[in-house]
Amino acid sequence: MAQEDLFKKLIAHCKEYGYIFPSSEIYDGLAAVYDYGQYGVELKNNIKKYWWDSMVLLHENIVGLDSAIFMHPTAWKASGHVDAFNDPLIDNKDSKKRYRADVLIEEHLEKLSEKIEKEVEKARNRFGEKFDEALFRSTNPRILEISEKYEQLHKRFVDALAGSDLAELRQIIIDSEIVCPVSGTKNWTEVRHFNLMFSTEIGSTSDGAMKIYLRPETAQGIFVNFLNVQKTGRMKLPFGIAQIGKAFRNEIVARQFIFRMREFEQMEMQFFVKPGTELQWFSHWKEARMKWHRALGFGDENYRFHDHDKLAHYANAATDIEYKFPFGFREVEGIHSRTDFDLKQHQQYSGRKMQYFDPEINKSYIPYVIETSIGVDRMFLQVVAASYYEEDLTGEDGVPDSRVVLRLPSVLAPVKLAVLPLVRKDGLPDISHRIVDDLKFDFNCQYDEKDSIGKRYRRQDAIGTPYCITIDYQTVDDSTVTIRYRDTMLQERVAIADLKNIIADKVSLQEQLKKL
Ligand code: ATP
């Protein structure tokens, strides 16, 4: 199935099974804003707990914080967001559609590199075993021609972004003959800056209302509390502050479901270090964060680093962790070495000393910072996309059958086990309820007695429940049940008394954290 179709099915599945709903759907929704349903909220909470515990529980020198969404507006002046948190936008005059100029160019560049890969694939099929890929890439005239075009364009693009040269961005779009995907025309407006921060007012107009912003990232709440946490927690460098919370960005183009939202949630950790040690810590966090992702078992080959060749003016190293989504490799998390930029800015704007007294050298200085920043929703999408399978179960008898299954890591699954009486009589529901009452303190359990057992299994597969417990007539005699495993669909007979132990190990967050 084409990846695009798969993605559409995934979106429909999330809605049909109570994971994600369009916001205010009865009013036709609100673009790029979504609500999490009964299973979505559980999965989201489990993702957050996995992140939070990996930071705060496992590290003595990382503590948590929950800062407010509203901050003093000067904080956003200091951070640079008021002046520079912009995207370059461009409109197509025929379709009246709005785009990010940088994204149009990036997509064009991606098409060029796809062309190169297609040529290589064609040649590989043609030459078979004798194919020398390196030689082909360095000598084939068609590849050389496309590569040169790519390099030239890429350089122009990077320079234009670095110099905030909006006219040049437009010129690149014109020169590359990029057309609007909707109208198919090259009838473009000028490129303009668009600030992504939402603003509102605090206080009533009679006392002089003040314009404030909805935070576009959680990080600044951490920086402004650096001194509070350091002093009250008697923290010694290196130490980290972790925070999970909502962030808001008025994204120009909001596509790809929950990949790019206007209201979303971030999990950020700022790690304060002694100047000069930041690159060591950068590599440390790069590896640690990759390990956190890979420990979920979605296949190491589906992740990669994308080191930034063009760094923001305040950073001295930056990388993204990318995952292979159905629409290609895309950023899930950013890891940045931000130098002392943020604390220095807040020191300058607030007049407070944002410094650390280092007892080892008897001196005060502004610490350097390594940031790890991941979107909860984007991580959610990554997990669901990696778990979604449509399986053909047509047996040897040729009777067509299929299922949709979410192969969620058990530790993240919203419902850990479903308890299903084979029939709704003869005391089987009572035994089932007793099992739920016993296990509900440990696991999120669900009781389901409606429809045939086969249909109930499919429902649980679709929401990703790793274990189904079936209570039948034999249970009445010997207190055993069958446990059915979601991924293999195998069934085993086990004693009710053993259920807790069998399941506990497999869904345990502790066991997951031990992999890190
Ligand atoms: P992008 O280039 O995709 O816009 P970014 O580089 O601006 O992202 P950061 O500011 O580094 O992103 O934010 C850190 C993380 O927050 C991202 O890796 C992503 O997971 C998440 N994130 C950022 N913007 C959004 C959004 N609009 N919707 C959902 N998640 C987001």
Side-chain angles (χ1 to χ4, degrees), residues 22-294:
S23 163
S24 345
E25 196 188 6
I26 56 169
Y27 297 102
D28 294 335
L30 183 65
V33 186
Y34 291 90
D35 298 339
Y36 286 82
Q38 63 276 27
Y39 299 122
V41 63
E42 297 287 344
L43 174 56
K44 205 174 177 210
N45 284 341
N46 292 343
I47 291 172
K48 289 196 269 189
K49 180 112 176 87
Y50 175 39
W51 183 88
W52 185 265
D53 284 0
S54 76
M55 290 290 177
V56 177
L57 198 68
L58 298 192
H59 295 91
E60 245 178 87
N61 61 347
I62 299 182
V63 292
L65 179 77
D66 184 17
S67 69
I69 287 172
F70 292 151
M71 294 178 68
H72 193 285
T74 312
W76 300 110
K77 193 80 189 145
S79 68
H81 284 81
V82 172
D83 297 322
F85 195 53
N86 297 317
D87 274 344
L89 70 82
I90 189 165
D91 295 282
N92 182 272
K93 292 183 198 162
D94 298 320
S95 66
K96 309 268 184 284
K97 290 276 173 208
R98 178 160 288 177
Y99 300 92
R100 262 172 69 175
D102 55 334
V103 171
L104 284 179
I105 299 171
E106 272 168 10
E107 284 173 355
H108 181 71
L109 283 167
E110 208 165 293
K111 276 191 199 138
L112 290 180
S113 45
E114 276 167 16
K115 259 192 198 165
I116 296 177
E117 295 315 310
K118 267 197 193 137
E119 291 291 327
V120 173
E121 271 324 293
K122 260 200 310 199
R124 193 193 313 282
N125 292 337
R126 199 164 356 116
F127 294 115
E129 293 211 333
K130 285 180 294 174
F131 184 55
D132 181 341
E133 185 176 331
L135 184 72
F136 184 77
R137 281 184 190 271
S138 60
T139 55
N140 179 275
R142 175 107 182 98
I143 292 211
L144 291 178
E145 187 196 327
I146 306 172
S147 302
E148 196 186 319
K149 209 164 152 186
Y150 179 97
E151 289 307 325
Q152 278 177 3
L153 207 63
H154 185 253
K155 175 151 189 350
R156 275 180 75 186
F157 176 50
V158 169
D159 290 347
L161 280 186
S164 262
D165 188 344
L166 300 185
E168 171 67 352
L169 282 178
R170 179 170 193 272
Q171 200 53 48
I172 295 174
I173 290 174
I174 305 288
D175 294 349
S176 309
E177 303 191 335
I178 295 174
V179 297
C180 164
V182 176
S183 67
T185 70
K186 293 178 259 180
N187 197 4
W188 297 109
T189 61
E190 297 304 307
V191 176
R192 281 171 296 144
H193 272 318
F194 178 76
N195 193 294
L196 300 184
M197 281 199 295
F198 286 99
S199 63
T200 183
E201 282 176 4
I202 200 165
S204 68
T205 31
S206 56
D207 353 283
M210 178 160 66
K211 179 177 174 183
I212 56 164
Y213 301 98
L214 271 71
R215 67 179 176 198
E217 60 175 35
T218 60
Q220 299 305 323
I222 296 180
F223 293 127
V224 300
N225 277 296
F226 163 73
L227 286 180
N228 284 337
V229 175
Q230 193 272 321
K231 293 216 153 78
T232 57
R234 291 182 294 126
M235 307 301 291
K236 301 240 176 314
L237 285 194
F239 75 91
I241 305 179
Q243 164 154 249
I244 300 179
K246 289 266 183 172
F248 304 83
R249 296 183 188 179
N250 199 1
E251 299 280 0
I252 301 172
V253 186
R255 269 181 304 168
Q256 291 164 332
F257 194 34
I258 56 167
F259 184 83
R260 192 173 299 288
M261 303 158 88
R262 295 200 166 109
E263 173 179 340
F264 58 103
E265 216 169 346
Q266 287 187 313
M267 307 189 278
E268 297 198 292
M269 195 279 294
Q270 310 294 328
F271 198 70
F272 300 93
V273 304
K274 191 171 176 174
T277 64
E278 72 276 9
L279 292 181
Q280 257 162 279
W281 282 111
F282 174 74
S283 327
H284 168 86
W285 282 110
K286 208 174 140 172
E287 296 311 319
R289 292 305 304 147
M290 185 58 108
K291 204 165 177 191
W292 183 89
H293 285 277
R294 288 187 168 158

Side-chain angles (χ1 to χ4, degrees), residues 442-511:
D442 297 282
F443 318 115
N444 192 336
C445 305
Q446 193 171 85
Y447 172 84
D448 188 5
E449 60 174 23
K450 197 169 174 289
D451 297 323
S452 72
I453 197 78
K455 270 197 184 156
R456 282 181 269 169
Y457 284 153
R458 290 290 179 276
R459 260 202 306 268
Q460 296 300 332
D461 288 343
I463 63 171
T465 306
Y467 308 103
C468 285
I469 310 299
T470 305
I471 285 72
D472 54 20
Y473 286 106
Q474 193 181 328
T475 312
V476 183
D477 295 335
D478 65 4
S479 295
T480 65
V481 293
T482 58
I483 177 165
R484 173 194 182 263
Y485 300 96
R486 177 196 66 200
D487 296 348
T488 57
M489 295 189 289
L490 291 176
Q491 299 186 23
E492 261 184 299
R493 192 112 211 145
V494 299
I496 292 176
D498 292 339
L499 276 178
K500 194 190 276 187
N501 281 344
I502 295 173
I503 296 168
D505 243 19
K506 298 188 175 111
V507 303
S508 144
L509 180 57
Q510 270 182 31
E511 292 305 313

